Amino acid sequence: NFTNCTTVIPFQTNVLTELRKWKLSLIEHHKLQMRQEKEKHTAHVRQLSSEMENLKQLLHTYEISVSRKDEVVITNLTRALERQKERIELMRKFTLWRIQHVKAKQEEYANRVADRQFRTALMKKVWAAWRSLSEEKWKEKVAKACQLRAEDVCVQLTNDYEAKIEELTATLEQTKAEILQLHSEREQYEDTMKKAFMRGVCALNLEAMTMFQGK
């Protein structure tokens, strides 16, 4: 278990590091898009400002020609200028709203992707831990089975050797008994031979004495 922990901790650190890198990459991408939107907004505002300057010039031209226009023309021009200003203001507000909307969607998408990546990484981590634990349990089962088999073989071999030793011991005892019997028979034979030899010697001695006495 300690080995598995030491293996899983670097893996978790690598996953967190990759998630941080991915998050920083999303933030940089989001900043780039925001910068592009701001540039677009700046260009649009610049265009609107140019249009306002043109309108101001047009207004100035109209003001120059006011003295030669009647009151209806002046009123229409004023209304057109107000409508143009309102249109420019609405476009500016719409542009700001669009930027905020895009930013909110990007943040939501980034959070959703980050959550999905985190869940995927967590599932991979859990799967790896479960697989490692399963392999360890399988190895333990195999080791126990091998140990039990080895113990059975050792017991069988021990029994066989003990039976063999008992058989050899019995054979040895029988051989010792036969040797003792042979020694006993040899001693009896030697004793018999000694007695026969002594009887032969005595007979020769008596015969010799008889011969000497006869002479």
Side-chain angles (χ1 to χ4, degrees), residues 7-82:
T7 305
V8 169
I9 289 175
F11 176 75
Q12 182 179 6
T13 305
N14 293 331
V15 170
L16 293 176
T17 303
E18 291 296 328
L19 288 175
R20 293 193 193 99
K21 291 181 179 179
W22 182 81
K23 184 176 180 181
L24 292 175
S25 177
L26 284 178
I27 292 173
E28 291 297 329
H29 180 67
H30 173 66
K31 287 181 179 180
L32 178 61
Q33 289 184 344
M34 287 296 298
R35 188 160 52 249
Q36 291 176 354
E37 289 294 332
K38 286 181 180 180
E39 290 175 357
K40 290 180 181 179
H41 175 66
T42 303
H44 190 224
V45 171
R46 191 180 300 112
Q47 182 181 0
L48 293 177
S49 299
S50 177
E51 291 179 1
M52 288 183 65
E53 291 296 329
N54 293 331
L55 290 173
K56 286 180 180 180
Q57 292 178 2
L58 181 62
L59 179 61
H60 182 65
T61 303
Y62 287 159
E63 287 175 355
I64 294 174
S65 61
V66 159
S67 58
R68 292 170 292 181
K69 299 291 183 179
D70 55 6
E71 187 176 354
V72 176
V73 176
I74 295 173
T75 302
N76 291 335
L77 290 175
T78 304
R79 288 178 180 176
L81 182 60
E82 291 296 331

Side-chain angles (χ1 to χ4, degrees), residues 76-153:
N76 291 335
L77 290 175
T78 304
R79 288 178 180 176
L81 182 60
E82 291 296 331
R83 284 195 299 270
Q84 187 68 18
K85 288 182 179 180
E86 290 177 358
R87 178 175 174 274
I88 293 171
E89 184 65 22
L90 288 174
M91 291 182 69
R92 187 181 67 82
K93 290 181 179 180
F94 175 75
T95 303
L96 292 175
W97 173 83
R98 184 179 178 184
I99 291 173
Q100 292 177 356
H101 181 68
V102 170
K103 181 179 178 181
K105 287 182 68 177
Q106 288 177 349
E107 289 181 354
E108 182 182 359
Y109 176 75
N111 292 329
R112 188 165 59 250
V113 173
D115 291 338
R116 185 165 61 249
Q117 291 292 334
F118 176 75
R119 287 195 297 270
T120 302
L122 184 61
M123 289 176 65
K124 288 182 179 179
K125 178 182 175 182
V126 172
W127 167 254
W130 177 82
R131 184 176 180 181
S132 177
L133 183 61
S134 298
E135 290 179 354
E136 183 178 357
K137 289 182 178 179
W138 178 78
K139 289 179 180 179
E140 290 179 357
K141 289 181 180 179
V142 172
K144 288 181 180 179
C146 293
Q147 183 178 0
L148 292 175
R149 179 61 180 168
E151 290 177 356
D152 293 338
V153 172

